[in-house]
Amino acid sequence: MAMDGVLKLYFGESNIPTPEYIKRAAQKAMADGFTFYTENAGLPSLRQALARYYQELHGVELDPLGEFVITASGVQALNLGIRCVLDPGDEALVLTPAWPNGASNVALANAVALEIPQPLIGDRYGIDFNALEAAVTPHTRMLLYTSPSNPLGWVATVDDQRQLLDFARRHKLWLIADEVYERLNYTGPKPTTPAPTILKLATRDDAVIVIQSFSKAYCMTGWRLGWLVGRRDLVARATQLNEFVVSHAPSFGQRAGETALLWGETALCEMLIRLKENRDFCLAALANMPGVTVPKPDGAFYLFPKIKGAEDSFDFCKRLLMETKVGLAPGVAFGSGGEGSVRICYAAERSVLEEAMTRIAAFLK
Ligand SMILES: Cc1ncc(COP(=O)(O)O)c(C=O)c1O
């Protein structure tokens, strides 16, 4: 972090600053007096805006006042959801490689995370349902998956989701879907077509929780604003729990979130076109490098190539950093199935990506 001149492709954020109209909305909210406490579940107007958003984007009807909690980030939503469903000693199944905060939050709840690696079948990641079945014990309470996935870029199809939901219903587990990258999906007919949400398949009585955030779609990582969707009884508990954690997300940020939902599509579309070009550029560059195998990701903004010589991915990333000043995230950080790969975030400027690919190619040679 202290090294100068590093090409930083290790973080999970875009280089684009928050769009001006969102910043102005926060300034206006402050001027309008949104500087006081709000409800623990968040401003009713933001929950209503989110219910409209789900209706327009997915045709899913949600009760704004009974099925949402606004949180101070996606990771806080993950923390609330997990703490609501796990008791000490419980077990949770987590599809990996995955952003490590899911398993860490399970550990914080004094529960045990069992990592189930997603196998690469041909050029697409799959779900190992045999391994999931074998891992269930009388203590298993939940299954966490991430779609679009960080770091794999895998996007669960409707069929994948149906099987996950069936599995969770059959074993009476909570199904937690981290859908933070929902809008970064490259498989739809339009650039802004979202990845499928589990909320479309699940009934409102299913034990399903969706984790969401403003960070990735609206370039609002530093704002700390997210939300959780869930069954009414879970949402009531998560709302109570929120009181003791942060009480609620910042008031003026919540107002700015409403504006982001309302006017965000144009900026989002521009960003998605650029991200897809970046993905394709990096994929082509990596395809020419010796010993590199890289599946084409369908969502998020990461590539997760397997590299011959990176069997110790931490050591590989350290050497790459010291010798070339290119910063990547070692695959081992993403749990079971991650070792031997590295994560490249391609949400940087094209000039940075070009230089980074040149240096990685020279290093591998
Ligand atoms: C899979 C996943 N979920 C959740 C988050 C949390 O995002 P935030 O806490 O910024 O809302 C991240 C951030 O990198 C992520 O990669």
Side-chain angles (χ1 to χ4, degrees):
M1 297 289 277
M3 223 166 129
D4 281 336
V6 175
L7 304 179
K8 295 174 186 156
L9 307 184
Y10 45 71
F11 273 149
E13 68 183 343
S14 131
N15 62 328
I16 304 171
T18 307
E20 279 305 316
Y21 73 93
I22 302 177
K23 294 187 203 166
R24 278 200 298 275
Q27 288 159 1
K28 181 169 183 315
M30 275 194 225
D32 288 348
F34 284 89
T35 56
F36 295 98
Y37 288 133
T38 76
E39 290 78 351
N40 290 134
L43 286 170
S45 52
L46 176 54
R47 286 180 278 154
Q48 273 146 5
L50 281 168
R52 274 196 303 276
Y53 181 79
Y54 274 101
Q55 159 54 241
E56 281 164 22
L57 207 59
H58 295 288
V60 171
E61 295 288 342
L62 293 163
D63 172 9
L65 303 186
E67 291 169 336
F68 288 96
V69 187
I70 308 301
T71 57
S73 77
V75 67
Q76 201 235 321
L78 198 60
N79 179 271
L80 276 189
I82 288 175
R83 285 169 70 174
C84 282
V85 303
L86 293 183
D87 280 329
D90 284 346
E91 292 172 8
L93 306 175
V94 181
L95 294 194
T96 57
W99 189 56
N101 296 31
S104 298
N105 269 299
V106 169
L108 273 180
N110 292 309
V112 180
L114 282 135
E115 300 185 343
I116 311 293
Q118 291 194 244
L120 187 59
I121 304 161
D123 58 359
R124 195 174 179 275
Y125 286 96
I127 303 167
D128 188 345
F129 281 98
N130 291 334
L132 280 172
E133 290 286 349
V136 174
T137 76
H139 302 290
T140 314
R141 292 284 173 272
M142 62 163 257
L143 165 60
L144 169 66
Y145 76 97
T146 308
S147 169
S149 155
N150 168 11
L152 300 178
W154 166 78
V155 177
T157 61
V158 174
D159 196 47
D160 291 330
Q161 290 179 327
R162 188 169 290 120
Q163 291 186 66
L164 286 166
L165 187 59
D166 284 350
F167 175 83
R169 282 176 178 161
R170 213 158 9 89
H171 292 287
K172 296 194 171 15
L173 308 180
W174 280 90
L175 184 60
I176 305 194
D178 183 335
E179 298 187 351
V180 158
Y181 293 94
E182 171 190 52
R183 301 308 306 271
L184 310 190
N185 169 44
Y186 312 111
T187 58
K190 286 193 291 184
T192 50
T193 305
T197 174
I198 191 71
L199 295 171
K200 185 129 183 151
L201 287 180
T203 72
R204 299 293 72 86
D205 290 328
D206 270 314
V208 165
I209 301 172
V210 165
I211 305 303
Q212 263 288 12
S213 170
F214 286 81
S215 285
K216 314 291 174 175
Y218 302 108
C219 306
M220 291 172 70
T221 46
W223 292 63
R224 315 316 293 138
L225 188 64
W227 72 91
L228 174 153
V229 186
R231 207 172 69 189
R232 284 167 194 280
D233 54 344
L234 181 288
V235 161
R237 284 307 174 99
T239 302
Q240 286 178 327
L241 182 54
N242 217 19
E243 165 66 18
F244 312 117
V245 184
V246 285
S247 299
H248 61 79
S251 326
F252 45 88
Q254 293 190 52
R255 284 295 278 180
E258 285 175 43
T259 302
L261 293 175
L262 208 53
W263 302 109
E265 294 300 300
T266 310
L268 181 64
C269 187
E270 283 165 15
M271 179 172 79
L272 288 167
I273 291 168
R274 199 181 63 92
L275 284 176
K276 195 173 178 193
E277 285 168 3
N278 283 357
R279 177 197 68 168
D280 293 342
F281 165 76
C282 292
L283 270 176
L286 289 165
N288 285 329
M289 296 183 202
V292 176
T293 336
V294 56
K296 186 174 177 178
D298 288 332
F301 41 43
Y302 307 106
L303 292 166
F304 200 61
K306 207 172 192 53
I307 300 181
K308 224 182 233 155
E311 287 71 27
D312 178 344
S313 59
F314 186 84
D315 176 66
F316 176 87
C317 286
K318 199 169 163 187
R319 280 191 290 121
L320 183 75
L321 179 68
M322 294 308 190
E323 287 177 34
T324 72
K325 292 202 171 180
V326 174
L328 305 182
V332 67
F334 302 93
S336 197
E339 185 56 298
S341 298
V342 296
R343 190 190 73 175
I344 301 173
C345 175
Y346 56 78
E349 268 148 42
R350 177 58 86 84
S351 56
V352 172
L353 294 175
E354 283 171 5
E355 181 57 28
M357 289 301 137
T358 306
R359 292 190 200 174
I360 295 171
F363 179 78
L364 288 177
K365 262 190 199 149

